[in-house]
Amino acid sequence: MSDFDAASFLDRLGLRATRPRLRIARILFADRQDRHVTAEWLADELARQQHPVALATVYNTLHALTEAGALREVRGASPGTIVFDTHTGPHHHFYDETTGELTDIPADAITLQDLPQAPDGKTISGCDIVIRLR
Amino acid sequence: MSDFDAASFLDRLGLRATRPRLRIARILFADRQDRHVTAEWLADELARQQHPVALATVYNTLHALTEAGALREVRGASPGTIVFDTHTGPHHHFYDETTGELTDIPADAITLQDLPQAPDGKTISGCDIVIRLR
DNA sequence: ATACCTGCAAAGTCTTTGCAATCAA
DNA sequence: TTGATTGCAAAGACTTTGCAGGTAT
């Protein structure tokens, strides 16, 4: 299978290795590196694996992982739904309007020129590009 | 005040000139050209002007105006809230994470190079860039 | 006349919160 | 032990829907 050590993974993030978190970490980080999940999908997946976790706990964990820097919230896609991305580095997304699916676009696949100045005393904290597909 | 003719404005869009729509059209299109409104703000504004309109009707009208091409929904900003933009042409946004405020960025202020190909049989239907400010 | 529109309230979707019971360290 | 975490259910924020009554053309 995988030699992913969920316990030390959580440890390194400063998160307690509880049972739900171990299971969630394995689902999210064991194999693929570019997952885009919603809380609901994750809760369903856990249930499918015969290890149901309360939806509230799923949200707690996703937010904890986000604060710890292991996940990133994607804005601008599925309206009304938070999508969590296991790829935390700079990159952008295709959003398929038909299926709701997100696909990564490497950051260097898009060149931004003449990025405008941030107004007054503000700092640019991030830049999301979503290319919608139909 | 303004010489904005809400009745013919709606007419041109193929929308019936009902009382709520006339009021909404005036608020949105009479003066400024770059408004970003939420349904709730608009309902509050109508109430403030002593012409309350049911929230459901506000949503109906905003969606009708969007389908008619007079508004555009902005994605990727305020999570969980639909923002309607009176500026329908191509452009992008600053999103102030502190205030939730949206500001326009002219389309030509950003140059996209090497836009990636859309996958398989898909077409690019739009591109939203949101620059987050802190 | 008649199709469309409005308002109200109820229902829906997604997310967060409160709190007692449980668990990791 | 002891504070963090879980689960459940209830509450919240935002949006949509159903439908009876009203309205523009």
Side-chain angles (χ1 to χ4, degrees):
Chain A
M1 273 291 152
S2 162
D3 54 355
F4 176 71
D5 182 344
S8 45
F9 174 82
L10 290 170
D11 228 46
R12 254 176 275 129
L13 295 173
L15 296 176
R16 276 199 191 173
T18 65
R19 206 186 315 253
R21 284 176 179 175
L22 289 167
R23 299 214 158 102
I24 288 171
R26 279 186 215 110
I27 292 175
L28 294 181
F29 301 105
D31 303 313
R32 300 173 52 205
Q33 291 308 308
D34 59 330
R35 309 196 69 124
H36 302 97
V37 306
T38 62
E40 201 184 342
W41 178 88
L42 187 48
D44 287 352
E45 178 63 22
L46 288 158
R48 250 174 258 130
Q49 303 187 357
Q50 313 296 330
H51 297 299
V53 173
L55 193 51
T57 301
V58 172
Y59 276 108
N60 284 342
T61 302
L62 288 171
H63 287 138
L65 288 167
T66 300
E67 278 184 31
L71 289 178
R72 163 186 172 188
E73 293 185 14
V74 180
R75 339 184 57 123
S78 335
T81 308
I82 305 180
V83 177
F84 294 87
D85 188 343
T86 59
H87 186 324
T88 55
H91 68 285
H92 308 291
H93 294 101
F94 282 120
Y95 173 62
D96 188 321
E97 296 180 317
T98 313
T99 65
E101 202 181 330
L102 279 184
T103 318
D104 281 357
I105 302 174
D108 60 11
I110 297 182
T111 309
L112 286 173
Q113 283 188 344
D114 316 314
L115 242 195
Q117 287 298 311
D120 46 310
K122 296 291 179 178
T123 322
I124 292 179
S125 66
C127 172
D128 289 311
I129 302 182
V130 176
I131 297 180
R132 280 175 277 115
L133 301 176
R134 194 165 28 197
Chain B
M1 282 291 151
S2 164
D3 54 356
F4 175 71
D5 183 344
S8 44
F9 173 82
L10 290 171
D11 228 47
R12 254 175 274 130
L13 295 174
L15 297 176
R16 279 198 188 171
T18 66
R19 205 184 316 250
R21 287 176 176 179
L22 289 166
R23 298 212 157 104
I24 289 171
R26 280 187 214 110
I27 291 175
L28 294 181
F29 302 104
D31 303 314
R32 300 173 54 206
Q33 290 307 308
D34 59 330
R35 309 197 70 127
H36 302 98
V37 306
T38 62
E40 201 183 342
W41 178 88
L42 187 48
D44 287 353
E45 178 63 23
L46 288 157
R48 249 175 259 129
Q49 302 185 0
Q50 313 296 328
H51 298 299
V53 173
L55 193 50
T57 302
V58 171
Y59 276 107
N60 284 341
T61 302
L62 288 171
H63 288 140
L65 288 168
T66 300
E67 278 182 32
L71 289 178
R72 164 188 172 186
E73 292 184 14
V74 180
R75 339 181 59 121
S78 334
T81 308
I82 305 179
V83 178
F84 294 88
D85 189 342
T86 59
H87 186 323
T88 55
H91 69 286
H92 308 290
H93 294 101
F94 281 122
Y95 172 62
D96 188 321
E97 295 180 317
T98 312
T99 64
E101 202 181 329
L102 279 184
T103 318
D104 282 356
I105 302 173
D108 59 13
I110 297 182
T111 307
L112 286 173
Q113 280 189 346
D114 315 315
L115 242 195
Q117 288 298 310
D120 47 307
K122 297 290 180 177
T123 321
I124 292 181
S125 67
C127 172
D128 290 310
I129 300 181
V130 176
I131 297 181
R132 280 175 277 116
L133 300 177
R134 192 163 34 191

